[in-house]
Amino acid sequence: MTVKLGAGKPSFDYRGTTYHFCSAGCRMKFSADPEKYVAAKPKEGHAYQGHGGALAAPQIAAATATGTTYTCPMHPEVVRDKPGACPICGMALEPLVLTSDIGPNPELADMTRRLWVAAPLAVIFLVLDMTEHLFGIDLLPFMAPRSHQYLQFALAIPAVLWCGWPFFERGWRSLTSGRLNMFTLIALGTSAAFLYSVVAAFFPGLFPAQMAGDMGTIPVYFEAAAVITALVLLGQVLELRARERTGGAIRALLDLSPKRAIRIRPDGATEDVPLEAVAVGDVLRVRPGDHVPIDGEVVDGHSAVDESLISGESLPVEKNRGDAVTGGTANGSGSFDMRVARTGAETTLARIVAMVADAQRSRAPIQSLADRVAGWFVPAVIAVAVVAFVAWFAFGPAPAFAHGLIAAVSVLIIACPCALGLATPISIMVAIGRGAQMGVLVRNAAALERLAAVDTVVLDKTGTLTEGRPVLAGVEAGAGFDADEVLRLAASIEAGSEHPLAEAIVAAAREGNLALGKAADFAAVAGKGVRGTIGGRRISLGNESLMEDDRVALGSLTGTAEERRANGETVMFLAVDGKAAGLVAVADPVRITTPAALAALRGLGLTVIMATGDSRITAAAVGKRLGIERLEAEVLPEDKAKLISRLRAEGRVVAMAGDGINDAPALAAADVGIAMGGGADVAIESAGITLMSGDLNALVRARALATATLANIRQNLFFAFVYNALGVPIAAGVLYPFLGLLLSPIVAAAAMSFSSVSVIGNALRLRKIGL
């Protein structure tokens, strides 16, 4: 991959060398562990070069990175090594990946400190100004009018220049870079009011005599500049606090992971160690009520573990020897020892956080509307402000200059496009975080938006509608054999196979405490079954084709097999020394939650189609049981992709749900690919959405989240557009000829701050989805 320099792509300085990246995600992965990539020999097409190269690494980024990488919520392509302001929009940068130990937001702390100074000064200005204008009371009768203005100037220096310095700094940067943003408007409005007031207070002779008031002084607007600064600071503080809450879902996940673990030493003694000291292969003890410290496998003991962190399901899952456990999940009343399988960035929790962080920075297609508007919005507002000033100065009542200044400043302040820019990304951030809590991992915002428009769902059978773990459904014995002997011989010949059907037969035999024999001369016959010798007897286990090859007469077993296949079971015949001994039937049971989930999907107006590689008889049996009318059976992976393409050609918006491995072509071909995950299987590259529980109820939750998110974004955009469409003309003074109403810059500043906070508040409602 190559990177075009000067195109605003992210970069990272490491040991005196600047590395350039194609995306913020690649940069995040590199910054989490630079040595992993610098020390490795780059593959062709993935080279990195100092001061002009590129880097793209497939590894999942560390979610427990140092937290020193920051990005802009509105412009995710902006990535910096320290907090500050976005060079494009001027908004405060926030951590690219949240960590459990990240400190207070320095931007919020600075804005809060300035607000504590600006607020009381603004109150003093309002009291002095309002008591005189509204009640005719001069609180400082001992001061001459000119001295009164000098006092206001002295108070305005800290209230405007120090408290509002970040706004002037960002506004100036936007002008010099040519990237006009909301701080351009704030800086222009407050500086215009402040500088005009300075000239009016110290050089009144520069103004026409008719502009002088009753006291012979030129009116000043120090109080407007001071109050505007305080209101904008208040809006920034409220906005930053609200934005911190958008990461609450991820912080909640991170907080579940304990900081320490109980490690068992080789001598059997235990020691309390920090989680960073735990290595793969270590054995840890998990006590009742503890959170599982890290991913691993139970080696001793048993318990019920609450895996709602991973699956979104509240029912505890029984864990016994050999079962996998996930870091961050909550142990119940039992106790067990576990062997560590993964650490650091490879753990399930770390991978979830990294995936969610990437998705939260992605851009939804609907955001392009706001982007197009923002491109011309600020220049248009400045033009409107200039026109308003000229119109008032030329045609307005006396004092025309003052009226023109008020109108221009009000337009600049009220039209700040912060609400417009935040409308989409803030909803996406909250929704994707909430989805992670619900067991729904969204890879990017586009997938979430497309899911809201889906009208057809194609479902794989095995592992999606069914458990994906075959179990023995029954044993039928032929003449001269009993069921236990049939099962024992079938399990003995299959003992060395890793096929899921073989594992189901062997597991059933062991549960029945049947003694398995040792198979000799084992041979697998592709597409038919297996042969071997057990205790000197020739054994064949497979389908009718294998029995025909071995000239075995099945007799009445054929009819029994047809009945079982009609119920969705897979049948294998057993022959001993050329004689039919019986059959074993294996079935993949339908998930207990599948019928209700399918009913809910149909209730949402979705068309449900099942596509499977199984036989038509088995597929029809499962479809009949679940009420699925349209079936596509005996299809290969590439056939599923063709089915998706045909449906899309019909004008349907299609989601494909499968296991993410054999179904990868179909997942990639669908409008939305949905991977049925489980435990550590959370990052399936072909899918836009992963359902952690592997349960279709999670798909219902995902659909509800998607539709609610898109509705929330539309509400935000509507409010932002309407706010500006109404606010700018009113601030310019269009109502003055009819109602005598000219909007004060102070009111404009309050309205601007309210608009941003209201958009964020509306987005935060998505945190209640599914509760």
Side-chain angles (χ1 to χ4, degrees):
M1 298 179 67
T2 58
V3 175
K4 183 179 179 181
L5 299 183
K9 295 294 184 178
S11 62
F12 186 83
D13 292 327
Y14 180 67
R15 293 187 175 179
T17 301
T18 300
Y19 295 87
H20 299 269
F21 305 84
C22 58
S23 69
C26 289
R27 183 202 182 281
M28 178 181 68
K29 297 168 188 176
F30 179 85
S31 63
D33 188 2
E35 279 300 320
K36 178 190 293 186
Y37 307 107
V38 173
K41 183 179 179 180
K43 296 181 181 179
E44 183 179 354
H46 291 80
Y48 52 79
Q49 299 172 0
H51 301 283
L55 181 143
Q59 289 86 346
I60 295 175
T64 54
T66 59
T68 57
T69 304
Y70 295 80
T71 188
C72 174
M74 285 167 53
H75 300 90
E77 67 273 20
V78 175
V79 180
R80 297 291 183 267
D81 296 329
K82 55 186 177 182
C86 172
I88 298 176
C89 67
M91 290 185 64
L93 302 180
E94 53 192 34
L96 187 64
V97 179
L98 290 173
T99 62
S100 57
D101 58 351
I102 194 165
N105 184 339
E107 188 77 15
L108 176 58
D110 180 62
M111 291 293 181
T112 302
R113 184 167 55 249
R114 295 177 189 273
L115 177 61
W116 279 111
V117 176
L121 291 174
V123 170
I124 292 173
F125 271 111
L126 286 174
V127 170
L128 291 175
D129 189 66
M130 294 305 159
T131 53
E132 183 172 354
H133 283 84
L134 296 180
F135 306 108
I137 300 174
D138 185 1
L139 295 179
L140 301 173
F142 52 85
M143 295 186 69
R146 184 68 57 83
S147 300
H148 197 286
Q149 291 184 338
Y150 293 160
L151 175 63
Q152 289 189 52
F153 169 71
L155 294 175
I157 290 176
V160 177
L161 297 186
W162 183 79
C163 295
W165 183 253
F167 309 145
F168 294 117
E169 189 176 40
R170 295 176 188 182
W172 175 255
R173 191 182 302 128
S174 70
L175 290 171
T176 57
S177 65
R179 290 171 166 171
L180 305 183
N181 54 50
M182 66 176 185
F183 291 104
T184 313
L185 304 180
I186 294 172
L188 287 175
T190 52
S191 60
F194 181 81
L195 293 175
Y196 163 81
S197 299
V198 170
V199 176
F202 290 93
F203 306 100
L206 298 177
F207 294 86
Q210 59 267 29
M211 287 187 62
D214 296 337
M215 299 296 182
T217 57
I218 305 299
V220 295
Y221 297 95
F222 288 120
E223 83 284 349
V227 175
I228 288 171
T229 301
L231 288 171
V232 174
L233 280 169
L234 176 62
Q236 287 290 293
V237 169
L238 293 176
E239 178 185 314
L240 288 167
R241 285 182 178 174
R243 279 166 55 188
E244 278 200 334
R245 293 169 62 194
T246 63
I250 302 305
R251 286 190 176 89
L253 296 178
L254 289 169
D255 289 343
L256 291 176
S257 181
K259 304 296 185 294
R260 303 186 70 83
I262 300 174
R263 183 166 59 191
I264 302 175
R265 296 202 302 250
D267 61 3
T270 60
E271 57 181 345
D272 185 88
V273 297
L275 198 61
E276 295 78 14
V278 173
V280 173
D282 285 351
V283 177
L284 308 179
R285 178 155 295 165
V286 182
R287 300 169 301 188
D290 285 350
H291 280 89
V292 178
I294 205 163
D295 293 2
E297 178 183 302
V298 177
V299 296
D300 188 30
H302 63 88
S303 185
V305 177
D306 179 0
E307 295 189 331
S308 56
L309 158 72
I310 299 300
S311 64
E313 302 294 340
S314 58
L315 292 178
V317 180
E318 289 291 330
K319 296 294 181 181
N320 297 292
R321 184 185 179 92
D323 289 337
V325 288
T326 305
T329 54
N331 183 32
S333 58
S335 177
F336 59 87
D337 296 342
M338 56 169 285
R339 180 173 287 108
V340 176
R342 287 179 294 273
T343 61
E346 301 305 318
T347 64
T348 300
L349 186 58
R351 296 165 74 187
I352 289 175
V353 172
M355 182 185 293
V356 172
D358 275 342
Q360 285 183 328
R361 310 301 174 199
S362 61
R363 300 170 76 82
I366 196 174
Q367 191 170 343
S368 61
L369 175 63
D371 291 342
R372 288 196 299 270
V373 172
W376 54 261
F377 186 79
V378 175
V381 168
I382 295 174
V384 170
V386 171
V387 170
F389 175 80
V390 172
W392 276 97
F393 185 71
F395 308 109
F401 184 90
H403 282 124
L405 179 66
I406 290 174
V409 171
S410 296
V411 168
L412 292 172
I413 295 299
I414 203 171
C416 288
C418 184
L420 185 62
L422 281 172
T424 298
I426 207 72
S427 296
I428 292 296
M429 289 179 68
V430 177
I432 289 174
R434 177 60 189 145
Q437 289 183 314
M438 297 165 60
V440 178
L441 286 187
V442 181
R443 185 168 294 280
N444 55 61
L448 194 65
E449 182 176 333
R450 289 196 299 268
L451 181 59
V454 163
D455 54 31
T456 303
V457 180
V458 178
L459 304 172
D460 177 45
K461 180 181 77 69
T462 305
T464 301
L465 298 172
T466 65
E467 294 286 353
R469 294 186 297 273
V471 296
L472 184 70
V475 179
E476 302 284 349
F481 293 88
D482 61 41
D484 282 350
E485 181 66 5
V486 171
L487 179 57
R488 187 186 75 82
L489 292 174
S492 298
I493 196 70
E494 291 279 31
S497 174
E498 295 181 354
H499 193 281
L501 298 181
E503 291 178 354
I505 296 171
V506 173
R510 286 175 175 161
E511 287 177 6
N513 295 318
L514 301 179
L516 303 187
K518 186 175 182 180
D521 302 324
F522 178 86
V525 183
K528 297 182 179 182
V530 295
R531 295 190 184 104
T533 302
I534 298 176
R537 294 189 290 179
R538 292 182 293 108
I539 306 296
S540 299
L541 180 70
N543 56 24
E544 285 102 328
S545 295
L546 183 66
M547 297 298 108
E548 290 176 4
D549 292 347
D550 291 350
R551 298 180 180 179
V552 176
L554 296 176
S556 62
L557 290 176
T558 302
T560 302
E562 290 301 322
E563 292 176 4
R564 287 192 169 273
R565 289 196 187 102
N567 290 326
E569 299 173 7
T570 299
V571 175
M572 288 169 283
F573 297 96
L574 178 73
V576 178
D577 291 330
K579 180 181 178 181
L583 62 81
V584 289
V586 176
D588 184 7
V590 171
R591 292 180 186 270
I592 193 171
T593 57
T594 295
L598 291 179
L601 291 173
R602 294 190 190 97
L604 294 173
L606 303 181
T607 300
V608 178
I609 301 173
M610 181 175 73
T612 177
D614 277 356
S615 69
R616 295 189 182 278
I617 295 176
T618 302
V622 174
K624 181 179 180 181
R625 191 181 313 166
L626 296 175
I628 300 176
E629 297 181 358
R630 181 167 177 179
L631 307 173
E632 298 285 340
E634 300 177 0
V635 293
L636 298 174
E638 54 268 29
D639 295 328
K640 291 183 182 180
K642 293 176 182 177
L643 169 64
I644 300 294
S645 299
R646 289 200 305 271
L647 292 171
R648 295 184 67 189
E650 295 173 7
R652 298 173 182 256
V653 182
V654 185
M656 168 68 194
D659 62 13
I661 302 172
N662 295 330
D663 298 311
L667 290 170
D671 291 285
V672 184
I674 301 171
M676 310 300 289
D681 245 343
V682 299
I684 301 176
E685 296 298 330
S686 304
I689 293 175
T690 299
L691 308 181
M692 299 290 291
S693 64
D695 182 346
L696 283 178
N697 277 323
L699 176 54
V700 179
R701 294 194 296 269
R703 168 73 175 200
L705 179 67
T707 53
T709 302
L710 204 60
N712 193 271
I713 289 172
R714 286 172 176 152
Q715 291 163 5
N716 284 347
L717 287 173
F718 175 80
F719 175 81
F721 279 125
V722 169
Y723 162 80
N724 283 293
L726 296 177
V728 171
I730 292 174
V734 295
L735 296 181
Y736 188 86
F738 310 102
L739 303 176
L741 175 64
L742 182 60
L743 197 66
S744 165
I746 294 174
V747 176
M752 182 271 293
S753 297
F754 169 76
S755 69
S756 299
V757 175
S758 62
V759 163
I760 297 174
N762 186 48
L764 288 173
R765 294 190 304 112
L766 292 171
R767 299 195 305 173
K768 304 297 183 181
I769 295 294
L771 295 180

